[in-house]
């Protein structure tokens, strides 16, 4: 089986030390999804500054293309300011995309992984056992695929550290007789 694994809830995958200026103030931290690829940190700050005092702002960039990955984070000075920005801009259309704003999750929140490319006849219990090597699997939800297609599922780990470990451990690892990617 070959796996492609991607973390679904990216808000808490970014550490304060390396690329995110946010700590544990989830009430004030907002994640913004579906940003245009042309948007940078300055653009995001300009868009959101009307809704409150911004203590930190970051658009996550692709290191290879130097373009936005389509999401970013803003830390407001108060929770009500963050709530106001969410209420006013969630669903707002920007360059043909509808923004999705929500509170950023804590690092110890459950983390969902998107797993694709495995043999769809593989029992779910084997996937759960495999990912259990990296931490506590809270749930596994298979996605029905078309005949002849590779398997796809969502696996929920108990926290982001375990999800990161699963991504590092499963990508390129051997599962059964096939290599995971």
């Amino acid at each position: 089986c070959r796996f492609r694994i991607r973390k679904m809830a990216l808000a808490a995958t970014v550490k304060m030390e390396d690329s995110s200026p946010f700590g544990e103030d989830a009430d004030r931290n907002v994640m913004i999804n579906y940003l245009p690829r042309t948007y940078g940190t300055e653009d995001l700050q300009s868009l959101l500054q009307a809704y409150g005092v911004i203590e930190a702002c970051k658009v996550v960039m692709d290191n290879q293309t130097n373009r936005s990955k389509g999401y970013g984070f803003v830390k407001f000075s108060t929770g009500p300011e963050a709530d106001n920005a969410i209420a006013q801009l969630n669903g707002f259309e920007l360059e043909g995309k509808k923004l999705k704003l929500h509170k950023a999750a804590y690092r110890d929140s459950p983390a969902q992984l998107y797993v694709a490319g495995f043999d769809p006849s593989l029992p779910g219990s084997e996937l759960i056992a495999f990912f259990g090597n990296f931490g506590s699997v809270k749930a596994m939800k298979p996605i029905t695929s078309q005949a002849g297609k590779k398997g796809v599922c969502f696996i929920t780990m108990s926290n982001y550290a375990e999800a990161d470990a699963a991504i590092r451990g499963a990508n390129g690892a051997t599962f059964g007789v096939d290599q995971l990617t």
Side-chain angles (χ1 to χ4, degrees):
C1 304
R2 299 181 73 98
F3 286 130
R4 289 186 313 272
I5 303 171
R6 183 177 82 220
K7 194 176 308 182
M8 297 302 294
L10 295 171
T13 66
V14 185
K15 295 180 187 172
M16 186 173 177
E17 306 83 64
D18 52 345
S19 56
S20 175
F22 310 122
E24 296 294 324
D25 301 315
D27 187 48
R28 304 185 296 146
N29 293 335
V30 177
M31 181 177 186
I32 301 92
N33 290 310
Y34 308 114
L35 289 170
R37 298 285 182 202
T38 58
Y39 248 54
T41 297
E42 298 80 21
D43 300 310
L44 182 60
Q45 185 159 354
S46 293
L47 177 68
L48 292 170
Q49 67 189 4
Y51 301 98
V53 176
I54 296 175
E55 292 183 2
C57 180
K58 177 154 185 79
V59 171
V60 179
M61 305 298 280
D62 183 305
N63 292 333
Q64 293 179 333
T65 65
N66 203 29
R67 293 181 59 159
S68 166
K69 287 189 174 183
Y71 66 97
F73 304 91
V74 173
K75 181 177 183 179
F76 286 94
S77 64
T78 68
E81 289 173 342
D83 292 336
N84 183 37
I86 292 169
Q88 297 299 318
L89 290 177
N90 194 38
F92 178 77
E93 191 167 319
L94 184 64
E95 294 183 23
K97 293 183 161 205
K98 285 191 177 186
L99 299 179
K100 180 179 177 186
L101 283 76
H102 55 88
K103 297 285 178 90
Y106 284 114
R107 287 192 62 82
D108 61 353
S109 299
Q112 192 172 61
L113 301 174
Y114 172 81
V115 182
F118 57 89
D119 181 344
S121 67
L122 186 69
S125 59
E126 287 188 31
L127 282 170
I128 291 170
F130 176 77
F131 282 93
N133 292 317
F134 306 107
S136 176
V137 176
K138 297 295 183 186
M140 194 276 296
K141 179 182 176 187
I143 300 172
T144 306
S145 63
Q146 299 170 1
K149 299 287 182 180
K150 294 291 186 174
V152 177
C153 73
F154 291 104
I155 293 192
T156 304
M157 304 298 288
S158 66
N159 60 53
Y160 284 88
E162 291 176 0
D164 286 337
I167 290 170
R168 285 190 310 275
N171 285 326
T174 301
F175 183 75
V177 296
D178 296 323
Q179 185 176 16
L180 308 182
T181 59

